[in-house]
Amino acid sequence: MKLQQPIFAFFFSMALLPPYLCFSAVSQTRRPFSVISRAHATATSTTTRLSMARRDANMTPEEREVAVEKATKAMTSFSNSYIAKTKTRLCQDKSVPAVVIKGLAEHKVSLGAPLCPCRFYEDKEKEVREGYWNCPCVPMRERKECHCMLFLAEDNPFAGTETKITLDEVKELSSQA
Protein backbone atom coordinates (compact mmCIF):
# COMPACT_ATOMS: atom_id res chain seq x y z
CA MET A 1 0.00 0.00 0.00
CA LYS A 2 1.43 3.35 -1.03
CA LEU A 3 0.39 6.37 1.03
CA GLN A 4 0.17 9.81 -0.50
CA GLN A 5 2.68 12.49 0.55
CA PRO A 6 0.19 14.76 2.43
CA ILE A 7 -0.66 11.83 4.70
CA PHE A 8 3.05 11.34 5.48
CA ALA A 9 3.41 15.04 6.24
CA PHE A 10 0.40 14.91 8.55
CA PHE A 11 1.72 11.93 10.52
CA PHE A 12 5.19 13.40 10.82
CA SER A 13 4.02 16.87 11.74
CA MET A 14 1.75 15.41 14.40
CA ALA A 15 4.57 13.15 15.63
CA LEU A 16 2.30 10.13 15.58
CA LEU A 17 4.87 7.89 13.94
CA PRO A 18 8.59 7.83 14.55
CA PRO A 19 10.46 8.47 11.27
CA TYR A 20 12.41 5.20 11.42
CA LEU A 21 9.18 3.19 11.16
CA CYS A 22 7.97 4.86 7.98
CA PHE A 23 8.89 4.35 4.39
CA SER A 24 10.42 7.21 2.48
CA ALA A 25 7.91 8.39 -0.10
CA VAL A 26 10.73 8.82 -2.60
CA SER A 27 12.88 5.72 -2.24
CA GLN A 28 10.37 3.29 -0.67
CA THR A 29 13.04 2.24 1.83
CA ARG A 30 13.11 2.48 5.59
CA ARG A 31 15.02 5.68 6.16
CA PRO A 32 14.32 8.71 8.29
CA PHE A 33 13.78 11.89 6.38
CA SER A 34 13.23 15.47 7.33
CA VAL A 35 9.99 16.05 9.14
CA ILE A 36 10.30 19.79 8.73
CA SER A 37 11.34 19.64 5.08
CA ARG A 38 8.51 17.35 3.97
CA ALA A 39 5.82 18.99 6.09
CA HIS A 40 6.93 22.47 5.02
CA ALA A 41 7.12 21.46 1.37
CA THR A 42 3.62 19.98 1.47
CA ALA A 43 2.18 23.01 3.22
CA THR A 44 3.79 25.51 0.85
CA SER A 45 3.23 23.53 -2.32
CA THR A 46 -0.50 24.19 -2.37
CA THR A 47 0.07 27.92 -2.68
CA THR A 48 2.25 27.56 -5.77
CA ARG A 49 0.51 24.63 -7.42
CA LEU A 50 -1.51 26.69 -9.89
CA SER A 51 1.19 29.23 -10.70
CA MET A 52 3.88 26.69 -11.56
CA ALA A 53 4.80 26.61 -15.24
CA ARG A 54 7.96 26.48 -17.30
CA ARG A 55 9.56 29.78 -16.56
CA ASP A 56 11.53 29.89 -19.79
CA ALA A 57 8.53 29.27 -22.06
CA ASN A 58 8.29 32.89 -23.23
CA MET A 59 12.03 33.56 -23.48
CA THR A 60 13.81 34.02 -26.76
CA PRO A 61 16.84 31.75 -27.28
CA GLU A 62 19.12 34.71 -26.55
CA GLU A 63 17.28 35.58 -23.32
CA ARG A 64 17.41 31.94 -22.24
CA GLU A 65 21.14 31.76 -22.95
CA VAL A 66 21.75 34.86 -20.82
CA ALA A 67 19.55 33.45 -18.04
CA VAL A 68 21.38 30.10 -18.09
CA GLU A 69 24.74 31.91 -18.00
CA LYS A 70 23.62 33.92 -14.98
CA ALA A 71 22.21 30.82 -13.25
CA THR A 72 25.40 28.85 -13.98
CA LYS A 73 27.43 31.59 -12.32
CA ALA A 74 25.08 31.57 -9.31
CA MET A 75 25.10 27.76 -9.01
CA THR A 76 28.91 27.66 -9.28
CA SER A 77 29.18 30.22 -6.49
CA PHE A 78 26.61 28.32 -4.41
CA SER A 79 28.45 25.01 -4.92
CA ASN A 80 31.79 26.49 -3.86
CA SER A 81 30.32 28.07 -0.73
CA TYR A 82 28.35 24.92 0.17
CA ILE A 83 31.50 22.79 -0.23
CA ALA A 84 33.32 25.11 2.18
CA LYS A 85 30.41 25.15 4.63
CA THR A 86 29.98 21.36 4.71
CA LYS A 87 33.70 20.53 4.48
CA THR A 88 33.09 18.33 1.45
CA ARG A 89 35.07 17.98 -1.77
CA LEU A 90 34.53 17.82 -5.49
CA CYS A 91 34.72 14.60 -7.47
CA GLN A 92 38.23 13.83 -8.68
CA ASP A 93 36.92 14.04 -12.27
CA LYS A 94 35.83 17.69 -12.38
CA SER A 95 33.61 17.11 -15.40
CA VAL A 96 31.12 15.39 -13.05
CA PRO A 97 30.45 18.45 -10.85
CA ALA A 98 30.61 20.71 -13.93
CA VAL A 99 27.79 18.82 -15.63
CA VAL A 100 25.76 18.71 -12.41
CA ILE A 101 26.16 22.47 -11.89
CA LYS A 102 25.12 23.10 -15.49
CA GLY A 103 22.05 20.87 -14.98
CA LEU A 104 21.14 22.71 -11.78
CA ALA A 105 21.39 26.01 -13.66
CA GLU A 106 19.20 24.71 -16.49
CA HIS A 107 16.55 23.65 -13.98
CA LYS A 108 16.81 26.98 -12.15
CA VAL A 109 15.96 28.77 -15.39
CA SER A 110 13.27 26.39 -16.64
CA LEU A 111 11.66 25.41 -13.32
CA GLY A 112 12.59 28.26 -10.98
CA ALA A 113 14.51 25.98 -8.59
CA PRO A 114 17.75 23.98 -8.73
CA LEU A 115 16.12 20.56 -8.98
CA CYS A 116 18.64 17.70 -8.91
CA PRO A 117 19.51 16.90 -12.55
CA CYS A 118 20.67 13.35 -11.76
CA ARG A 119 17.26 11.81 -11.27
CA PHE A 120 14.31 10.96 -13.48
CA TYR A 121 11.06 12.69 -12.55
CA GLU A 122 7.59 11.87 -13.79
CA ASP A 123 6.55 15.44 -12.92
CA LYS A 124 9.40 17.93 -12.44
CA GLU A 125 7.09 20.75 -11.39
CA LYS A 126 5.63 18.60 -8.62
CA GLU A 127 9.13 17.69 -7.41
CA VAL A 128 10.11 21.37 -7.32
CA ARG A 129 7.04 22.16 -5.22
CA GLU A 130 7.82 19.35 -2.77
CA GLY A 131 11.40 20.57 -2.40
CA TYR A 132 12.89 17.21 -1.44
CA TRP A 133 15.25 17.03 -4.43
CA ASN A 134 16.01 20.74 -4.73
CA CYS A 135 19.76 21.22 -4.27
CA PRO A 136 21.01 20.71 -1.67
CA CYS A 137 18.58 17.82 -1.37
CA VAL A 138 17.30 16.46 1.92
CA PRO A 139 19.68 13.45 1.92
CA MET A 140 22.62 15.85 1.53
CA ARG A 141 21.42 18.23 4.22
CA GLU A 142 20.63 15.46 6.70
CA ARG A 143 23.19 12.72 6.04
CA LYS A 144 25.75 14.32 3.70
CA GLU A 145 24.78 11.89 0.93
CA CYS A 146 25.02 13.49 -2.51
CA HIS A 147 24.19 10.94 -5.18
CA CYS A 148 25.19 13.48 -7.89
CA MET A 149 28.78 13.40 -6.67
CA LEU A 150 28.83 17.19 -6.44
CA PHE A 151 29.49 17.26 -2.67
CA LEU A 152 31.63 14.32 -1.52
CA ALA A 153 32.91 13.47 1.94
CA GLU A 154 36.68 13.09 2.31
CA ASP A 155 36.39 9.33 2.80
CA ASN A 156 34.45 8.86 -0.45
CA PRO A 157 36.63 6.92 -2.93
CA PHE A 158 35.68 9.37 -5.72
CA ALA A 159 36.50 12.50 -3.73
CA GLY A 160 39.33 14.56 -5.09
CA THR A 161 41.48 17.13 -3.36
CA GLU A 162 39.75 20.14 -4.96
CA THR A 163 37.26 22.22 -3.03
CA LYS A 164 36.57 24.88 -5.69
CA ILE A 165 35.48 24.94 -9.30
CA THR A 166 35.57 28.03 -11.48
CA LEU A 167 32.87 29.25 -13.84
CA ASP A 168 35.27 28.77 -16.76
CA GLU A 169 35.85 25.14 -15.73
CA VAL A 170 32.11 24.54 -15.51
CA LYS A 171 31.57 26.00 -19.00
CA GLU A 172 34.47 24.14 -20.57
CA LEU A 173 33.95 20.75 -18.92
CA SER A 174 30.16 20.71 -19.29
CA SER A 175 30.37 21.55 -22.99
CA GLN A 176 32.62 18.51 -23.56
CA ALA A 177 30.20 16.07 -21.94
Side-chain angles (χ1 to χ4, degrees):
M1 178 173 83
K2 185 176 178 183
L3 295 176
Q4 296 299 316
Q5 183 57 37
I7 294 170
F8 274 122
F10 172 77
F11 282 125
F12 278 94
S13 65
M14 299 302 290
L16 295 175
L17 296 173
Y20 61 87
L21 292 179
C22 294
F23 285 94
S24 166
V26 175
S27 66
Q28 298 299 316
T29 60
R30 287 181 181 241
R31 274 197 236 180
F33 56 88
S34 173
V35 173
I36 295 170
S37 300
R38 284 296 197 175
H40 175 73
T42 302
T44 58
S45 68
T46 55
T47 59
T48 59
R49 186 165 287 142
L50 297 175
S51 65
M52 192 67 175
R54 283 195 62 100
R55 297 181 185 252
D56 62 345
N58 295 325
M59 290 184 183
T60 65
E62 295 81 20
E63 290 172 330
R64 188 176 193 293
E65 187 177 328
V66 169
V68 169
E69 173 78 22
K70 184 178 175 183
T72 303
K73 183 177 179 182
M75 292 313 304
T76 302
S77 176
F78 159 75
S79 298
N80 287 330
S81 63
Y82 196 76
I83 287 168
K85 177 182 170 187
T86 58
K87 296 179 177 47
T88 53
R89 296 175 183 225
L90 293 168
C91 181
Q92 58 192 347
D93 177 4
K94 276 188 146 180
S95 65
V96 172
V99 170
V100 172
I101 290 170
K102 184 72 171 182
L104 290 168
E106 292 277 343
H107 281 164
K108 186 130 175 78
V109 171
S110 64
L111 301 169
L115 184 67
C116 174
C118 302
R119 301 183 58 81
F120 171 77
Y121 306 101
E122 298 255 343
D123 184 351
K124 288 183 180 183
E125 288 82 10
K126 178 184 174 206
E127 293 295 336
V128 166
R129 285 190 305 269
E130 288 181 357
Y132 190 86
W133 292 113
N134 292 343
C135 189
C137 63
V138 172
M140 180 61 204
R141 290 190 306 249
E142 291 183 352
R143 300 183 298 272
K144 289 194 176 183
E145 293 175 4
C146 180
H147 66 279
C148 294
M149 296 177 59
L150 179 57
F151 309 115
L152 299 175
E154 279 185 36
D155 60 347
N156 187 303
F158 297 103
T161 57
E162 303 273 342
T163 57
K164 293 231 184 259
I165 189 167
T166 66
L167 180 59
D168 292 334
E169 288 175 312
V170 171
K171 289 179 189 177
E172 179 185 335
L173 294 171
S174 65
S175 68
Q176 294 173 3

